[in-house]
């Protein structure tokens, strides 16, 4: 089945540690996105990528980094510079352009700080 | 700027009740509008969308009509079920190509049997 997979489902980070969240899609979508969700709030965009080897900062990029070496993969690294990393992280992808473009989401990774 | 405002939750209804979740937006240009649903511990699932004024999106008994004159996209369902209990997010996107979604804060819906 086509879809978006995120791993792990739960991730624990120690102080000063970098951690990487995986996002893979087999939908052949060009664009991929990372959002952060905090309790009782909507989603906020961290980074997005329109094509391989290209990505742009979203609204809350500080303390995060990404890479896009393959079309299928868009990993997110939460660095030690991110002082409040506890949140639910959602990856999305989309295809096409214009009004019909629709983003589809993965199941999410919950990051907790030890 | 672009923004979405949803009715505050939580909303609690009895099974078979009529549901309305209000959503209004502010946008530059002509946005596409979306409703997503999030079940506990899961990611977001697209519920329905509308891409131009007066379009009606529908899915699984849910409907929403893109009202440009009132800048609204209210979600409705005629008879809710316990399985509809979830958090519902209204969102908009302006522009073409890879563009971020702007989300409302979400409305938690609980349906009691």
């Amino acid at each position: 089945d086509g879809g978006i997979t995120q791993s792990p489902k739960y991730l624990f980070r120690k102080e000063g540690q970098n951690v990487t969240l995986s996002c893979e899609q087999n939908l052949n979508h060009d664009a991929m996105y990372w959002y952060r969700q905090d309790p009782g709030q909507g989603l906020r965009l961290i980074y997005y990528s329109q094509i391989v080897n290209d990505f742009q900062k979203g609204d809350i990029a500080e303390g995060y980094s990404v890479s896009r070496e393959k079309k299928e993969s868009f990993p997110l690294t939460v660095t030690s510079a991110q002082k409040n990393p506890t949140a639910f992280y959602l990856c999305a992808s989309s295809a096409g352009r214009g009004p019909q473009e629709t983003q589809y989401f993965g199941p999410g990774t919950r990051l907790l700080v030890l | 700027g672009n923004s979405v405002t949803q009715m505050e939750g939580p909303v609690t209804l009895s099974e078979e009740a009529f549901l309305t979740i209000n959503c209004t937006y502010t946008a530059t240009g002509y946005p596409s509008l979306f409703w997503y649903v999030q079940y506990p511990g899961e990611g977001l699932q697209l519920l329905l969308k509308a891409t131009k004024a007066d379009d009606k999106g529908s899915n699984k008994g849910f409907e929403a009509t893109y009202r440009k004159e009132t800048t609204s996209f209210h979600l409705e369902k005629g008879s809710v079920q316990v399985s509809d209990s979830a958090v519902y997010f209204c969102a908009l996107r302006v522009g073409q190509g890879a563009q971020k979604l702007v989300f409302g804060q979400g409305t938690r819906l609980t349906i009691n049997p």
Side-chain angles (χ1 to χ4, degrees):
Chain A
D1 285 359
I4 302 171
T5 57
Q6 291 186 242
S7 62
K9 186 171 183 178
Y10 295 95
L11 186 58
F12 299 91
R13 192 190 93 163
K14 296 180 181 178
E15 292 289 338
Q17 186 181 42
N18 293 353
V19 293
T20 297
L21 285 63
S22 169
C23 177
E24 304 277 332
Q25 54 98 1
N26 61 3
L27 300 168
N28 199 34
H29 286 173
D30 289 315
M32 297 185 74
Y33 310 78
W34 274 105
Y35 290 89
R36 170 180 170 140
Q37 185 181 22
D38 292 285
Q41 298 186 30
L43 281 68
R44 293 180 290 168
L45 183 68
I46 305 172
Y47 268 98
Y48 68 100
S49 168
Q50 299 188 63
I51 56 172
V52 173
N53 293 322
D54 183 62
F55 49 82
Q56 288 79 40
K57 293 182 178 179
D59 298 322
I60 55 165
E62 185 175 352
Y64 300 97
S65 65
V66 294
S67 62
R68 187 85 186 278
E69 297 176 1
K70 298 186 299 182
K71 188 176 185 177
E72 305 79 24
S73 178
F74 191 41
L76 173 74
T77 296
V78 184
T79 74
S80 57
Q82 172 50 244
K83 297 307 178 188
N84 184 24
T86 298
F88 192 45
Y89 291 86
L90 288 156
C91 178
S93 69
S94 67
R97 296 182 178 271
Q100 294 298 329
E101 185 210 346
T102 300
Q103 292 183 24
Y104 297 92
F105 286 80
T109 293
R110 190 167 299 280
L111 177 61
L112 301 166
V113 177
L114 295 176
Chain B
N2 301 320
S3 66
V4 175
T5 302
Q6 286 181 237
M7 95 189 249
E8 293 236 1
V11 173
T12 302
L13 296 172
S14 297
E15 206 165 20
E16 299 183 3
F18 184 87
L19 168 71
T20 300
I21 300 178
N22 289 338
C23 171
T24 57
Y25 67 89
T26 302
T28 54
Y30 302 96
S32 295
L33 301 173
F34 305 84
W35 277 101
Y36 284 87
V37 58
Q38 185 177 36
Y39 298 101
E42 298 184 9
L44 273 66
Q45 298 177 25
L46 177 67
L47 183 58
L48 53 84
K49 68 179 183 183
T51 59
K52 61 183 187 296
D54 299 326
D55 268 2
K56 178 186 282 188
S58 61
N59 186 26
K60 299 180 180 179
F62 291 90
E63 294 184 338
T65 301
Y66 186 163
R67 300 286 189 201
K68 186 178 177 183
E69 63 276 11
T70 55
T71 61
S72 65
F73 193 54
H74 305 322
L75 182 68
E76 297 181 336
K77 186 174 185 182
S79 177
V80 292
Q81 306 301 313
V82 172
S83 58
D84 294 327
S85 299
V87 180
Y88 292 81
F89 290 94
C90 184
L92 68 81
R93 184 178 56 80
V94 180
Q96 301 190 8
Q99 297 287 341
K100 71 175 183 181
L101 289 169
V102 176
F103 286 88
Q105 77 274 26
T107 301
R108 182 174 299 278
L109 173 66
T110 300
I111 307 300
N112 293 322

